[in-house]
Amino acid sequence: MMADSGPKDVAVIGNTELTSAELDNNIKNTMVEIEKGTSLLRKMEISVAEAEKRTGKNTVNMQEMYTVYLIETRPVDALTEGITPDSLWRRYSEFELLRNYLLVTYPFVVVAPLPEKRAEIVWHKLSADNMDPDFVERRRVGLENFLHRVASHPVLCNDNIFYIFLTEDKDWKEMVYETGFQAKADSRLKAVNAAFRVKNPDGRFTELKHYSDELQTVLSQLLRVRARVADRLYGVYKVHGNYGRVFSEWSAIEKEMGDGLQSAGHHMDAYAASVDDILEEEEHYADQLKEYLFYTDALRAVCRKHELTQFELEMVALDLACKKQQKEELVTGTVRTFSLKGMTSKLFGQETAEQREAKLQVLEQQLKEGEEAVKEKNTESDEFVKTAWVDIERFKDQKDRDLKEALISYAVMQISMCKKGIQVWTNAKECFNKM
Amino acid sequence: MSRTIDAVVSPTQTNTIPADISGHMLDLDEDDDLEVFSKDSTLADGNMFNASMPTSPGSMVNQCKFEEDEESDSKDIFITVDNPESHVTAIETFITYRVLTKTTRSEFDNSEYEVRRRYQDFLWLKGKLEDAHSTLIVHPLPEKFVVKGMVERFSGDFIETRRKALHKFLTRVADHPILSCSEDFKVFLSAQAWELTTYKKQGPGFLSRMGETVRAVANSVRGVKNRPEEFTAIQEYVEDFSNKIGSLDKVTQRIVKEQKEYLEELKEYGPTYTLWSGSEEELAEQLKGVAGCIERCCKETEEQVGHLSDTLVPVLHEYVLCAETLKAVLRRRDNIQAEFEAKNEALATKKVDRDALKEEIDKLEDRVEWANNALKGDWGRWQRSMRGDLKSAFLSTAEKNVDYYEKCLAVWETFLLSQRTEPSEETDRDNTP
């Protein structure tokens, strides 16, 4: 989970009062900057240092218990300007709000996912509780990881709302709502409709959609089975603890064998205890895989946006083609397609030249507007495809790097587990030898 | 194997059904007891001292020297048990085993014998040995019936386990300085099938044995009054030992069960990586590599469980049965003493023929002394065997576990090596310790 490090350009962190238009402008500026890859993390250290339980009244005025996380920021080194050490508390729901804002505002970006809201794929019943300290701890790590992902993203790191999330305690929520991002959000219905009816989506996006579905299926299964394996391994190790107890009791009634049994028993206890650390480490590996499982949602979101954009373009183009044909019919007087107008004019006589002229005028105007619309939509679509694909390539590289590293660390974990096993049983063997 | 093999039930035996041994998760304090059967209740409590036995106890002791030490390196009798064969008759189906004996002992006419014996024959032999030497410790036989969980998929089949246990039984008898001199033992090893059948029919009949049993029960109800301290100590030890070995047996069987369930899940785990590799380009090789590692670890796990089932489980189970044997031996010793005490008391109180009674009492006193000596001598022997057997079994298990982890380690290290030799565009990363 290393941050991107880019060239020396320093992002300009704007002031706190940006209008929506200026925000849009910011986005356009930063789109140009993508290739240069600036990163907030180069200047600022971000950590989610602690978690605390609070009680408070919720929206329906009932007492509830929730967890808050402490976000600390400080300059990377003494020479960095413009950053002062700061800290504030945020709830999980605020992280969610931030992410939704980013999703809507930068639909061409594969936005990093948040850690699980509720513990779902767990290996041990204990962790199913949201208040469980282990779960809270893993969530804290996940939230920190999320912030690092955003802060190292060439586009997202420049977002002002993000910066304020990290640094300003009061009124952040109001500021987010004021951006009006919720209005910009595409309705689910629109998106689903577009997905069905779009005719010529870019093949790469279709492929990406399939890939993200596959990856989701495969990772879900893998994580489920891994959790079951971990559960079983736990059982095997823990039962050996009984050897410890029985050997110890047995050694009390034996003369020659007593010492050997007693010490062997200690090693059995150690063996049983060692599984806790082993599985704790593996949990970290599982979290790395889970992040990419949740990333598939973000991938699909980008694909959906493309389909929507493409669909809208197709609709506008279709409309233009329709108008063109209407004009042609009007000019040449031929009616290629059935229309009520055509029928009535056949029945009740042609319209006057003036009427025709008026209609033509209107159509010309509409044609002009239509062509503008198509041009605009085309540009929009092209821009989207271009910027989205850049980010997708970035994501793919990141994914390959991260998962390669995760698999290597998994192998390292297995090696460590084997080494511990060798040690314990070699020691036990020595003890049995003394029996 | 199906239970038809064990369908033959001797009319004198009681059958106890084993309790379910699948205990609660990790908690073995509750007594889901492994019922020990193959107890032949008539023989265990019977007293076969027959006043008209041809040789006196004293001369029997002289016949075969009582070794304080282990069996000398110069073994003069070697026995193998192999070649199980199924026999089908109109009434039953049973298995016989080939028993091969090679010996230089003078009491044997030949130096080599090959006979076929079935489980019933072994039971008979054990019974005879216990009857003749009621306070010697005879190694247990494998159970008559199939115990749930004893039939392990990985340890070959039930017949193989039984074969090994039968072999152990005969070897222990052959190594025993007194038991190996038994005439019944000699007949068992050398007689052809029909000869054995004839031989078995001799000796005290069923009814006289019943009479002995009644007397024994009467004595045990009365109880022994002045048990020597050392035998009380042995009894306490046996009680504790029985508990401990029973627990170990349960723990080990639980481990085998858990390990097998782990293996089942592991077998499904590898394929998820292979499935994933199908969707990836850059990562495909690596993912397949991980899948391969997991698969190889599965094989090693399978082997390890098999070893546990073959080596540790049978030995622990044997000693669970041993503990019951010991309890029976101590009971018999007590009964012999109780009988003597009863007669002794009668001498003081009843108006009987004092001379005849005195003679009987003297004989009983001798018997008590002989029984005590036999037991004392055998007790040391038994403890040494027990230590040897259990030490060897646990050692072997520990060695196998080390071997298992070493093999898995090699699998993952090879994989890691293959990853690190690839040119990586990453900077040097810290690996978690």
Side-chain angles (χ1 to χ4, degrees):
Chain A
M1 300 189 289
M2 293 275 286
D4 287 337
S5 56
K8 296 295 176 191
D9 302 90
V10 167
V12 173
I13 309 295
N15 59 37
T16 59
E17 243 105 37
L18 281 179
T19 65
S20 159
E22 281 167 309
L23 264 177
D24 278 6
N25 197 41
N26 247 353
I27 292 170
K28 291 209 176 84
N29 286 341
T30 57
M31 269 162 61
V32 170
E33 307 260 317
I34 286 175
E35 272 92 23
K36 292 193 188 167
T38 56
S39 162
L40 185 57
L41 272 189
R42 282 188 60 247
K43 300 181 4 159
M44 178 195 253
E45 247 178 57
I46 306 172
S47 63
V48 178
E50 281 168 39
E52 240 182 47
K53 291 214 251 287
R54 299 265 171 89
T55 47
K57 293 239 157 102
N58 65 10
T59 45
V60 291
N61 216 36
M62 283 174 62
Q63 278 285 81
E64 65 167 4
M65 231 183 32
Y66 58 90
T67 314
V68 285
Y69 301 86
L70 181 67
I71 302 178
E72 285 181 346
T73 50
R74 64 182 77 84
V76 158
D77 53 44
L79 302 171
T80 310
E81 295 175 355
I83 314 266
T84 48
D86 210 345
S87 70
L88 44 73
W89 295 92
R90 292 259 183 240
R91 287 181 70 158
Y92 186 87
S93 55
E94 291 174 279
F95 280 86
E96 279 182 313
L97 181 59
L98 171 66
R99 185 164 187 273
N100 287 336
Y101 160 78
L102 292 173
L103 279 172
V104 171
T105 315
Y106 305 92
F108 58 95
V109 168
V110 182
V111 180
L114 285 170
E116 284 174 302
K117 187 161 191 145
R118 264 164 269 286
E120 274 166 21
I121 312 172
V122 288
W123 66 266
H124 197 52
K125 312 294 182 287
L126 290 176
S127 313
D129 172 22
N130 279 0
M131 286 295 162
D132 174 62
D134 283 334
F135 175 72
V136 169
E137 171 60 19
R138 295 214 330 270
R139 219 208 227 176
R140 182 195 68 75
V141 171
L143 290 173
E144 188 178 275
N145 182 48
F146 168 75
L147 292 179
H148 285 174
R149 292 280 193 210
V150 176
S152 61
H153 190 280
V155 172
L156 301 179
C157 69
N158 297 310
D159 185 274
N160 193 49
I161 294 288
F162 173 59
Y163 186 77
I164 297 170
F165 178 86
L166 295 173
T167 54
E168 205 107 354
D169 201 337
K170 297 191 319 207
D171 304 328
W172 174 79
K173 264 198 184 162
E174 280 74 20
M175 270 190 254
V176 180
Y177 291 133
E178 267 167 31
T179 64
F181 80 92
Q182 287 161 318
K184 281 194 256 164
D186 296 316
S187 83
R188 194 72 179 186
L189 190 58
K190 232 178 27 164
V192 168
N193 181 46
F196 271 123
R197 294 171 57 189
V198 66
K199 296 218 169 46
N200 284 318
D202 186 317
R204 296 176 296 175
F205 285 91
T206 317
E207 221 182 276
L208 184 66
K209 203 162 70 151
H210 289 151
Y211 169 74
S212 56
D213 287 341
E214 272 173 20
L215 188 63
Q216 180 178 38
T217 308
V218 148
L219 281 181
S220 301
Q221 193 186 3
L222 193 152
L223 285 166
R224 257 198 312 273
V225 178
R226 188 213 72 87
R228 289 205 303 262
V229 169
D231 230 346
R232 289 293 167 209
L233 191 69
Y234 183 82
V236 170
Y237 272 72
K238 285 302 178 188
V239 182
H240 279 81
N242 286 295
Y243 271 153
R245 182 178 51 86
V246 181
F247 279 168
S248 176
E249 290 168 6
W250 184 17
S251 73
I253 61 171
E254 296 291 339
K255 278 182 250 139
E256 276 97 350
M257 294 202 292
D259 288 335
L261 278 176
Q262 180 86 306
S263 23
H266 289 321
H267 292 301
M268 292 297 100
D269 284 332
Y271 183 69
S274 68
V275 76
D276 292 315
D277 283 343
I278 290 169
L279 290 180
E280 170 87 32
E281 265 199 286
E282 263 201 32
E283 238 9 68
H284 178 67
Y285 167 72
D287 281 343
Q288 287 177 290
L289 296 185
K290 266 187 219 173
E291 193 197 11
Y292 280 93
L293 172 64
F294 301 147
Y295 252 123
T296 58
D297 275 340
L299 283 175
R300 272 190 293 267
V302 174
C303 294
R304 272 199 305 275
K305 186 67 181 177
H306 164 73
E307 283 169 349
L308 194 61
T309 325
Q310 176 68 11
F311 175 69
E312 285 169 356
L313 171 61
E314 285 172 6
M315 286 293 100
V316 166
L318 193 65
D319 190 58
L320 182 64
C322 226
K323 295 270 187 298
K324 280 197 177 151
Q325 196 177 34
Q326 281 182 346
K327 174 186 170 184
E328 202 196 300
E329 285 174 10
L330 212 55
V331 162
T332 60
T334 54
V335 181
R336 254 186 284 253
T337 58
F338 175 83
S339 73
L340 200 56
K341 262 283 181 60
M343 280 314 294
T344 53
S345 54
K346 272 231 168 109
L347 288 172
F348 299 111
Q350 296 272 10
E351 359 170 61
T352 64
E354 283 141 358
Q355 283 175 322
R356 267 209 17 229
E357 195 51 47
K359 279 216 194 102
L360 211 58
Q361 288 269 16
V362 169
L363 259 180
E364 285 288 354
Q365 181 60 22
Q366 284 177 336
L367 272 174
K368 224 171 44 187
E369 285 168 357
E371 259 157 23
E372 272 303 312
V374 168
K375 211 163 92 166
E376 224 179 86
K377 272 292 173 192
N378 235 334
T379 315
E380 193 188 309
S381 180
D382 280 349
E383 273 300 323
F384 181 84
V385 167
K386 199 169 81 163
T387 55
W389 208 253
V390 164
D391 201 57
I392 286 164
E393 290 296 333
R394 178 204 62 82
F395 168 79
K396 281 186 179 173
D397 288 340
Q398 173 198 298
K399 174 203 70 153
D400 286 339
R401 270 201 316 272
D402 287 348
L403 292 177
K404 199 173 165 86
E405 190 195 317
L407 290 172
I408 286 177
S409 78
Y410 185 71
V412 169
M413 278 178 223
Q414 300 307 304
I415 287 172
S416 155
M417 179 173 93
C418 289
K419 284 188 174 159
K420 282 186 201 165
I422 290 172
Q423 188 176 46
V424 161
W425 285 104
T426 305
N427 289 339
K429 187 176 136 181
E430 288 307 309
C431 297
F432 290 137
N433 241 337
K434 290 198 220 127
M435 267 166 71
Chain B
M1 295 303 298
S2 71
R3 298 190 62 187
T4 50
I5 296 168
D6 300 310
V8 181
V9 177
S10 158
T12 59
Q13 293 197 343
T14 49
N15 309 322
T16 46
I17 313 298
D20 185 12
I21 57 172
S22 54
H24 296 284
M25 180 71 171
L26 309 177
D27 173 17
L28 291 159
D29 289 330
E30 297 180 12
D31 263 352
D32 291 337
D33 265 331
L34 192 70
E35 297 279 331
V36 178
F37 43 98
S38 94
K39 241 197 298 192
D40 195 329
S41 51
T42 57
L43 295 178
D45 293 332
N47 264 319
M48 284 317 294
F49 181 73
N50 193 328
S52 64
M53 266 175 78
T55 49
S56 73
S59 73
M60 272 190 76
V61 174
N62 290 334
Q63 212 173 22
C64 305
K65 265 224 342 234
F66 225 137
E67 297 293 327
E68 315 82 32
D69 238 81
E70 305 89 48
E71 313 81 61
S72 50
D73 287 317
S74 54
K75 273 177 72 151
D76 55 4
I77 181 163
F78 295 89
I79 305 177
T80 54
V81 177
D82 57 18
N83 204 336
E85 261 176 26
S86 189
H87 293 256
V88 186
T89 69
I91 326 164
E92 55 179 354
T93 309
F94 58 91
I95 305 266
T96 61
Y97 302 83
R98 182 175 76 148
V99 179
L100 199 58
T101 310
K102 290 193 171 78
T103 179
T104 54
R105 287 196 184 171
S106 50
E107 53 270 31
F108 287 87
D109 296 329
N110 295 347
S111 57
E112 227 179 276
Y113 292 94
E114 181 178 330
V115 296
R116 293 208 74 90
R117 295 284 176 252
R118 55 186 291 190
Y119 182 80
Q120 260 192 338
D121 300 329
F122 284 83
L123 267 183
W124 168 85
L125 175 62
K126 177 160 183 272
K128 298 293 285 178
L129 292 173
E130 281 175 342
D131 288 349
H133 311 280
S134 59
T135 58
L136 289 184
I137 303 166
V138 179
H139 201 71
L141 277 176
E143 275 113 335
K144 192 159 178 64
F145 292 108
V146 172
V147 183
K148 187 170 90 171
M150 281 299 283
V151 184
E152 314 275 34
R153 266 188 291 149
F154 299 113
S155 69
D157 56 318
F158 164 72
I159 290 178
E160 176 58 18
T161 311
R162 180 175 268 200
R163 184 198 66 76
K164 282 199 252 190
L166 293 176
H167 176 247
K168 187 114 183 253
F169 168 76
L170 287 180
T171 312
R172 284 294 151 89
V173 175
D175 289 342
H176 196 288
I178 297 180
L179 294 176
S180 64
C181 303
S182 151
E183 178 69 20
D184 300 314
F185 183 53
K186 182 170 155 236
V187 171
F188 177 90
L189 292 177
S190 55
Q192 289 310 305
W194 60 269
E195 288 175 327
L196 183 63
T197 316
T198 316
Y199 181 83
K200 279 190 196 182
K201 294 209 175 106
Q202 301 168 8
F206 174 65
L207 285 175
S208 80
R209 292 221 310 268
M210 276 304 288
E212 296 293 342
T213 311
V214 172
R215 264 184 32 213
V217 169
N219 284 335
S220 60
V221 166
R222 182 193 174 277
V224 66
K225 295 247 168 92
N226 290 310
R227 188 196 290 127
E229 178 55 40
E230 59 185 318
F231 293 113
T232 304
I234 292 179
Q235 185 174 59
E236 277 168 13
Y237 171 86
V238 168
E239 206 46 55
D240 288 333
F241 177 82
S242 175
N243 284 335
K244 296 313 146 215
I245 205 75
S247 294
L248 283 176
D249 185 41
K250 274 189 265 187
V251 173
T252 309
Q253 297 209 34
R254 185 39 162 284
I255 289 176
V256 168
K257 175 165 172 269
E258 294 287 336
Q259 191 79 316
K260 281 185 179 172
E261 286 174 354
Y262 167 67
L263 180 61
E264 285 311 299
E265 297 295 350
L266 207 60
K267 281 183 177 166
E268 288 189 33
Y269 186 41
T272 61
Y273 283 91
T274 310
L275 188 66
W276 183 5
S277 74
S279 306
E280 296 290 339
E281 288 160 9
E282 280 293 307
L283 293 172
E285 275 313 302
Q286 208 180 0
L287 288 170
K288 281 192 237 172
V290 172
C293 288
I294 295 173
E295 225 170 294
R296 281 196 288 285
C297 287
C298 274
K299 292 210 176 62
E300 298 302 334
T301 306
E302 206 157 345
E303 225 187 84
Q304 188 259 1
V305 177
H307 182 270
L308 207 59
S309 303
D310 281 345
T311 309
L312 188 56
V313 171
V315 171
L316 289 175
H317 198 70
E318 240 173 74
Y319 277 91
V320 169
L321 299 178
C322 269
E324 293 307 307
T325 303
L326 288 171
K327 287 180 189 168
V329 165
L330 287 170
R331 265 200 307 275
R332 290 201 287 267
R333 192 219 67 85
D334 276 356
N335 287 341
I336 291 174
Q337 185 173 342
E339 200 179 333
F340 161 69
E341 283 174 353
K343 286 275 151 65
N344 219 9
E345 267 172 34
L347 189 68
T349 56
K350 291 195 182 145
K351 291 175 170 56
V352 287
D353 178 359
R354 301 181 73 86
D355 286 333
L357 192 56
K358 201 70 176 50
E359 207 182 308
E360 206 182 329
I361 288 172
D362 284 340
K363 283 216 179 86
L364 286 174
E365 196 170 19
D366 279 348
R367 193 168 153 232
V368 171
E369 195 184 319
W370 180 75
N372 288 351
N373 288 335
L375 180 50
K376 265 189 285 192
D378 229 18
W379 176 240
R381 261 191 107 250
W382 181 86
Q383 282 189 302
R384 279 191 301 275
S385 301
M386 179 270 288
R387 277 199 299 272
D389 283 349
L390 291 176
K391 171 175 168 176
S392 143
F394 279 116
L395 255 179
S396 174
T397 302
E399 271 167 8
K400 181 61 191 172
N401 285 349
V402 171
D403 178 59
Y404 162 73
Y405 279 115
E406 279 178 346
K407 290 208 181 113
C408 289
L409 178 69
V411 164
W412 287 104
E413 277 186 335
T414 309
F415 168 76
L416 204 62
L417 214 60
S418 74
Q419 297 307 302
R420 290 213 169 127
T421 53
E422 279 173 31
S424 67
E425 67 276 30
E426 323 150 19
T427 52
D428 212 43
R429 291 174 197 273
D430 253 18
N431 285 311
T432 48

